[in-house]
Amino acid sequence: APRVQSSRRRRLCALWAGGRRHHCRRPRTPSDPSRSPVSLLWRAMDSPEIPPSDRREERPPASLPLPAAFLEFLGENGLDPALYSKADTIPRYIRLKPGMESSVVTEIESELKCDLMRVSWLPDFYAIPPEIQIAGSKAYQQGKIYGIDAASGAAILALDVQSGDHVLDLCAAPGAKLCMLADMLGSSGSLTGVDVAKHRLAACRTMLQKYSLGDRSRLFVADGTSFSILPVNSNLGSMEAFVGIEDNGSIFSEWTSKRSWKDRQKSKKAKAAGSPHLPSTSEPELIYYGKDSGLVGLQKRYVLHPSTDAAACTSGYDKVLVDAECTHDGSIKHIQKFEFWGWKTLDRRVLNVERTGNLLHLQADHLSIVLAA
């Protein structure tokens, strides 16, 4: 198994990357060195989220009945098992929707019955005690706040998204990152979200609609390791790349949640097969596009056709986010869940060598999309 890292470092494997001829144009260089991707990522890992004076008094951690194999694994990597008993000292994070007045913070504090501690290095982020639940609050239901990890926020901030950028999120579910990216894009550019699990991507669609952030977005159920559909800024007027493609006259109209008979049949077959994931051999499926995503009125054959190297060099994505699935062995909160799931399953679900190896290949395949020459 690979050497364990902290959960924050692992989650920050979401990389800011550009220059891949299949997906990215050369990214703009941030004007402020202190806001460069590297400096922001290190700040996320090394800076305390809450000032020491505002932290709750730490209680002695209760010991967890960690399996012998996991204790041996921690010992080999020089980690103290007591770390995994401190989930109740790790804050949760929420993001206030940009544009909300400062007075809203006081209202939310009153409703949640806790202080919101501003995260100085992440705009609109606040830390709250880990036991606080936000799903039942009016602020959450009205779309004023949503939960998101600080590590995810740091990775997005490191992308240095600019107005007019075309951004691709290759592992988009469950959707909080998409919301933050859409906020940063504002009223220009485009956002493309990809995930292999349709039900999880449907949750992304719900979030974008709930927070009124989906107008410039589109969502594809697809394998991120082979996704090659360009943003809508492609040279769609050029017919040369589409010679030989059948023109059935199909045009994108305004998106509706009502599914066609063909789509319903495909869903039934997938459900009958017992897999929530898209088969690796399937074509990308577009399950959502906003009214300002640039698709309305275009012929589908132009938009859904895989890119060529030549087209990608001039019409690729400006920024790509990869927050690939990880082993979770460095996540304190995730490991603590095995108290309820059963410690006997931890070896199989976390330490299994075959699973770890498969994840490493999966992560590498995702990164190769944006980093390989």
Side-chain angles (χ1 to χ4, degrees):
R3 183 176 178 83
V4 173
Q5 301 175 14
S6 69
S7 61
R8 189 176 298 165
R9 287 179 184 269
R10 180 173 285 100
R11 289 301 305 278
L12 288 175
C13 69
L15 296 177
W16 174 69
R20 168 71 160 120
R21 59 192 173 100
H22 289 293
H23 280 294
C24 309
R25 293 199 301 263
R26 187 185 182 107
R28 301 179 181 89
T29 301
S31 56
D32 182 359
S34 66
R35 291 178 61 81
S36 67
V38 174
S39 65
L40 284 169
L41 290 175
W42 277 110
R43 189 183 308 170
M45 291 186 282
D46 296 336
S47 298
E49 291 82 6
I50 305 177
S53 59
D54 295 326
R55 292 177 181 164
R56 294 182 302 153
E57 183 178 351
E58 295 188 4
R59 292 172 291 176
S63 60
L64 291 178
L66 298 172
F70 191 63
L71 289 173
E72 181 181 355
F73 177 67
L74 297 178
E76 291 174 351
N77 290 277
L79 294 176
D80 183 356
L83 291 171
Y84 292 85
S85 301
K86 296 185 177 182
D88 61 347
T89 67
I90 302 173
R92 295 184 62 192
Y93 295 92
I94 61 173
R95 187 168 190 261
L96 185 65
K97 186 176 179 181
M100 295 284 108
E101 298 180 2
S102 57
S103 59
V104 174
V105 173
T106 303
E107 296 176 6
I108 297 174
E109 288 179 328
S110 177
E111 182 180 10
L112 297 181
K113 296 180 174 57
C114 70
D115 292 335
L116 270 61
M117 309 303 299
R118 182 183 294 275
V119 181
S120 61
W121 48 273
L122 276 176
D124 303 307
F125 271 69
Y126 293 85
I128 60 176
E131 70 275 10
I132 298 297
Q133 302 297 318
I134 66 172
S137 67
K138 289 182 179 179
Y140 176 80
Q141 295 169 358
Q142 295 173 356
K144 296 178 180 179
I145 60 173
Y146 55 87
I148 179 172
D149 288 341
S152 296
I156 294 169
L157 196 62
L159 280 173
D160 191 35
V161 173
Q162 301 292 320
S163 177
D165 275 347
H166 297 278
V167 182
L168 172 64
D169 184 351
L170 279 176
C171 306
K177 297 187 300 293
L178 283 174
C179 288
M180 184 173 174
L181 287 168
D183 270 332
M184 296 176 72
L185 280 174
S187 59
S188 62
S190 69
L191 176 60
T192 299
V194 175
D195 204 274
V196 73
K198 187 171 184 177
H199 67 290
R200 285 169 56 81
L201 199 64
C204 296
R205 178 179 61 199
T206 299
M207 283 196 70
L208 288 173
Q209 291 177 302
K210 174 181 178 178
Y211 294 102
S212 302
L213 294 169
D215 287 352
R216 312 194 72 82
S217 305
R218 56 182 188 162
L219 302 177
F220 285 94
V221 182
D223 182 352
T225 64
S226 58
F227 185 76
S228 59
I229 294 177
L230 295 176
V232 184
N233 69 322
S234 304
N235 298 323
L236 298 176
S238 173
M239 297 293 293
E240 296 179 1
F242 305 100
V243 173
I245 299 177
E246 181 182 356
D247 184 1
N248 57 12
S250 183
I251 294 176
F252 284 106
S253 56
E254 188 170 346
W255 184 84
T256 174
S257 59
K258 186 177 181 180
R259 297 184 299 166
S260 66
W261 179 86
K262 184 177 180 180
D263 288 339
R264 293 198 300 271
Q265 292 301 110
K266 286 175 63 177
S267 295
K268 285 183 180 179
K269 289 181 180 180
K271 189 174 182 180
S275 174
H277 296 85
L278 185 80
S280 59
T281 56
S282 298
E283 295 294 327
E285 178 185 356
L286 181 64
I287 67 166
Y288 175 77
Y289 55 92
K291 62 180 182 179
D292 297 322
S293 62
L295 272 63
V296 178
L298 293 180
Q299 292 188 27
K300 293 182 179 180
R301 64 176 182 145
Y302 296 155
V303 175
L304 302 179
H305 183 63
S307 67
T308 62
D309 287 353
C313 285
T314 58
S315 306
Y317 295 91
D318 298 291
K319 309 288 169 61
V320 179
L321 182 68
V322 177
D323 190 3
E325 184 178 357
C326 70
T327 59
H328 296 294
D329 53 71
S331 170
I332 295 175
K333 290 186 177 181
H334 183 82
I335 294 299
Q336 195 174 49
K337 292 177 183 178
F338 283 92
E339 280 194 289
F340 305 97
W341 295 344
W343 291 108
K344 292 182 179 180
T345 66
L346 187 143
D347 287 356
R348 172 175 54 84
R349 299 174 68 175
V350 175
L351 297 180
N352 182 274
V353 175
E354 182 179 355
R355 174 181 177 272
T356 302
N358 290 337
L359 281 176
L360 288 173
H361 287 299
L362 177 64
Q363 292 168 350
D365 287 345
H366 277 100
L367 291 177
S368 69
I369 292 293
V370 292
L371 294 178

